[in-house]
Amino acid sequence: LPISPMVQRGRAVGGQTSAPPMLTPQRQANPLCSRASTSASGVPQTPISSQLESNKWLKDTVTQLQPEPRPELLEFFGACHDNPAEPIKQQLQEHCQRVEEHLSKVMEISCDVEDLILLSRKLYYKMLLAFLQAEQQRLNVNDFSKLLSNRAFHCSLLACCMEAVFAANSVDEAAFPAVLDLLDLHAFDFAKVIESFVKTEPRLPHHLRAHFADVEAKILELLAWADGSPLHALMSEYDAASEATATPGPKRA
């Protein structure tokens, strides 16, 4: 499945590239584009009510979970050629520790940092399971060895979870793009997971949907084009493929 089309030099970049796939197909309406300041019930929201709604969502959907894989997720791990449970756990621990150490230095109350990281870990495992279940239903397969061995995917998913938790708690010390810097994650790789993250959690509050819309806009407008971004390599591949199809000989996709 192609990533969302982008535009450069006046032409779309998408369907013909060799870009890594998204987890979910593109939709007719992007859930990130709805920016009306109303709650799910249609009641106009204030900044305070938006914040309360986001905190309630975290409490209702995340707080009671365990910060470890559920049995259903372990079944997906077991269906892989090489069980990825331990590498995933180790990578998650390293990333969370790095962010926690940084926030503990810049935030006044360190115990709050532990709670935020714990919520992020819980949300990560919840969303990883939801992603795999959605893909299982769509593709009718159980073996996701390639996806589950992709470090950029796991890092991007964790970044989405941290963004949701930090935004819900108004953690200014972790304002975007701080998480990307702390996780050493390319903004372009992060952007490929955002839309799937929002779709996979249909109860995500408006406040957080708007936050992710703002994040995606910043990435597409600026950060995706930074030096070292994977986007440049994809653009080169696209140009090479376009030139190949314009010359005599076998056509290339």
Side-chain angles (χ1 to χ4, degrees), residues 78-147:
C80 296
H81 297 305
D82 296 311
N83 193 310
E86 191 57 34
I88 289 175
K89 179 181 178 180
Q90 182 177 353
Q91 181 182 357
L92 178 63
Q93 178 62 30
E94 292 173 355
H95 288 325
C96 287
Q97 182 176 350
R98 187 186 311 170
V99 176
E100 183 173 352
E101 289 177 353
H102 171 77
L103 291 182
S104 295
K105 295 177 182 178
V106 298
M107 292 183 67
E108 296 182 358
I109 306 177
S110 60
C111 64
D112 288 344
V113 176
E114 296 179 9
D115 293 338
L116 295 173
I117 297 302
L118 182 60
L119 286 172
S120 299
R121 291 173 64 97
K122 292 179 177 182
L123 183 57
Y124 166 82
Y125 278 124
K126 174 187 184 300
M127 295 304 296
L128 180 57
L129 175 58
F131 271 40
L132 295 176
Q133 289 175 331
E135 287 299 276
Q136 180 187 49
Q137 183 176 9
R138 185 175 69 86
L139 301 174
N140 195 29
V141 298
N142 296 318
D143 185 352
F144 294 98
S145 297
K146 185 175 182 180
L147 175 65

Side-chain angles (χ1 to χ4, degrees), residues 1 11 14 62 93-94 113 152 168 173 179 197 206 223 226 252:
L1 298 172
R11 63 174 182 270
V62 181
Q93 178 62 30
E94 292 173 355
V113 176
E173 295 87 348
V179 169
F197 180 88
H206 165 78
L223 298 180
R252 295 173 52 195

Side-chain angles (χ1 to χ4, degrees), residues 26 28 52 58 68 92 94 102 138-139 153-154 197 240:
Q26 292 176 316
Q28 295 300 318
L52 290 174
L58 276 177
E68 57 189 27
L92 178 63
E94 292 173 355
H102 171 77
R138 185 175 69 86
L139 301 174
F153 161 69
H154 288 291
F197 180 88

